[in-house]
Amino acid sequence: MNVPLWVWLATVGGLLVLIAIDLVVVDRKPHQVTTGEAAKWVTFYVSCAVLFGIGVWIIGGHDFGVEFFTGYITEYSLSVDNLFIFMVIMSSFKVPAIHQHRVLLIGILLALVMRGAFIAVGAALIAQFVWVFFLFGAILVWTAFSMVREKGVDEEYHENAVTRWVRKIFPVTEDYIGHSMMVKRDGKRWITPMFVVIVAIGSADLLFAVDSIPAIFGITQEAFLVFTANAFALMGLRQLYFLLGGLVTKLVYLSKGLAIILAFIGAKLFLHALHEYHVVPDWLEINNWVSLGVIVVVLTLTTVFSLRKSSRDPEASGADLELNALSPEERAAAAQTGGAGEADHAEAGRSTRESGS
């Protein structure tokens, strides 16, 4: 796929325009994002991705169009699995509901820049060394095995090395100061918890790239499609966070379904490498239509069985979030306060009941 420089520049410029619109329209005045507002923006970003994919299909041909849509669906699905981690981080840092959108926006923007660098390196390696396909395939198979082996999700956030390093280098204020990330006190620069949580979100999303980047290279080796599929998936992730909310915890089989997809793509990478070494016959190949069909079917079945399991056994997903341990009155109050304040509000509710009794 021959992509001229001006197409790259126009695409990156278009993505920057979308980010600018998000900053000006959505985040101009910090507020708690409602479900209706999130639904409209998710529809907008998905529509942008679909229109872009149609453009790739018309201009580049149906093969590249299928590769883009398959890659986009895969990346978006892997991103949904990461939303629970974002919820845990938001809760751990007690991010005010009105600032959660900005945290996700800046954190994911940083991740997009870093992923771009990863994609460039990955594309260069694949162009030079066939054995990289074996490496990427092994990463995906091991990740799939790890996801199946996991018995549960750690609900407590443990700061990674990058976040701990930031805390050591800079003094951190105790409280949030609006949406400021840095303040000056007594002639000394301090960072706020807003800065730390953005680092936590960005670095966590960068770790997610360990499986998502090899996964999409298993679908297409075109750097342009790899980058744009990642970009559109990340762009819509913020609003999806507010739209799905607690529904993510009801997708109890999501990790298992994603494990099947990653293992499938890993096998496809192995097979592609064997083709490059002329070890297997030409007819033994997994084409793009098969890949798209497998991914769509697995995700559909995963969603259906997860929601059925959650409806029959509420405790299957009820233990995932602290919110589920609240009384109905506390849940209603927590819903009004927003995502990050749920735990605090719950504690306040318990304290009120205890003092009243």
Side-chain angles (χ1 to χ4, degrees):
M1 186 178 187
N2 184 23
V3 181
L5 177 60
W6 70 267
V7 175
W8 274 98
L9 295 176
T11 302
V12 172
L15 293 172
L16 291 177
V17 168
L18 289 178
I19 293 173
I21 291 175
D22 213 339
L23 281 170
V24 173
V25 176
V26 180
D27 206 48
R28 178 183 60 180
K29 182 179 180 181
H31 64 286
Q32 182 177 343
V33 179
T34 63
T35 302
E37 181 183 0
K40 293 178 182 178
W41 280 100
V42 167
T43 303
F44 170 74
Y45 281 117
V46 171
S47 299
C48 289
V50 171
L51 290 175
F52 183 85
I54 292 174
V56 171
W57 191 301
I58 295 174
I59 298 174
H62 70 276
D63 286 339
F64 291 128
V66 172
E67 287 181 6
F68 172 80
F69 282 116
T70 306
Y72 172 70
I73 293 172
T74 301
E75 292 299 305
Y76 212 20
S77 303
L78 290 170
S79 298
V80 171
D81 192 43
N82 300 334
L83 288 182
F84 183 84
I85 306 299
F86 289 168
M87 293 178 185
V88 173
I89 293 176
M90 292 287 194
S91 176
S92 176
F93 283 91
K94 298 180 175 60
V95 182
I98 63 173
H99 297 315
Q100 289 181 9
H101 181 271
R102 173 162 295 199
V103 169
L104 290 171
L105 177 62
I106 298 176
I108 292 175
L109 180 59
L110 291 174
L112 182 59
V113 173
M114 292 183 286
R115 282 197 187 195
F118 275 17
I119 292 170
V121 172
L125 288 175
I126 285 176
Q128 295 294 324
F129 307 105
V130 176
W131 56 262
V132 173
F133 289 106
F134 287 118
L135 175 62
F136 283 0
I139 291 174
L140 295 182
V141 172
W142 173 254
T143 303
F145 174 75
S146 302
M147 294 174 75
V148 172
R149 187 179 57 180
E150 285 181 355
K151 299 299 182 182
V153 181
D154 189 356
E155 299 174 28
E156 182 179 354
Y157 172 67
H158 303 283
E159 293 187 358
N160 56 39
V162 176
T163 309
R164 293 195 301 270
W165 177 79
V166 168
R167 286 189 181 276
K168 288 182 180 180
I169 298 299
F170 302 99
V172 184
T173 62
E174 293 185 3
D175 302 318
Y176 288 87
I177 304 176
H179 58 252
S180 300
M181 291 185 288
M182 188 173 294
V183 294
K184 193 171 184 180
R185 290 180 175 177
D186 301 325
K188 187 177 181 180
R189 292 285 182 182
W190 290 66
I191 61 174
T192 68
M194 177 72 73
F195 183 93
V196 181
V197 71
I198 287 174
V199 171
I201 291 286
S203 56
D205 192 82
L206 185 60
L207 293 176
F208 298 150
V210 173
D211 53 37
S212 66
I213 298 299
I216 195 169
F217 270 118
I219 296 169
T220 177
Q221 286 80 57
E222 299 294 338
F224 181 73
L225 299 182
V226 172
F227 174 75
T228 51
N230 265 276
F232 280 108
L234 286 174
M235 293 286 289
L237 181 60
R238 300 183 314 282
Q239 308 300 340
L240 195 65
Y241 171 89
F242 297 105
L243 177 62
L244 295 184
L247 180 61
V248 175
T249 63
K250 296 183 182 296
L251 301 177
V252 293
Y253 295 131
L254 180 60
S255 294
K256 304 298 186 294
L258 292 176
I260 295 174
I261 292 175
L262 292 179
F264 169 77
I265 298 175
K268 183 180 179 182
L269 280 169
F270 283 123
L271 191 59
H272 179 79
L274 293 174
H275 269 289
E276 294 293 320
Y277 284 116
H278 306 289
V279 176
V280 296
D282 292 338
W283 59 265
L284 187 58
E285 182 181 4
I286 302 175
N287 62 43
N288 296 327
W289 286 104
V290 172
S291 299
L292 179 59
V294 169
I295 291 170
V296 170
V297 169
V298 171
L299 289 176
T300 301
L301 293 178
T302 297
T303 303
V304 171
F305 286 125
S306 292
L307 296 179
R308 183 178 299 177
K309 173 70 173 177
S310 298
S311 63
R312 292 179 178 177
D313 183 14
E315 293 184 359
S317 60
D320 286 337
L321 293 176
E322 184 178 354
L323 178 63
N324 294 314
L326 309 182
S327 67
E329 293 80 6
E330 290 171 333
R331 290 192 189 194
Q336 296 176 358
T337 61
E342 291 168 353
D344 287 345
H345 197 94
E347 186 63 31
R350 291 193 184 96
S351 301
T352 301
R353 289 206 313 269
E354 291 171 0
S355 63
S357 60

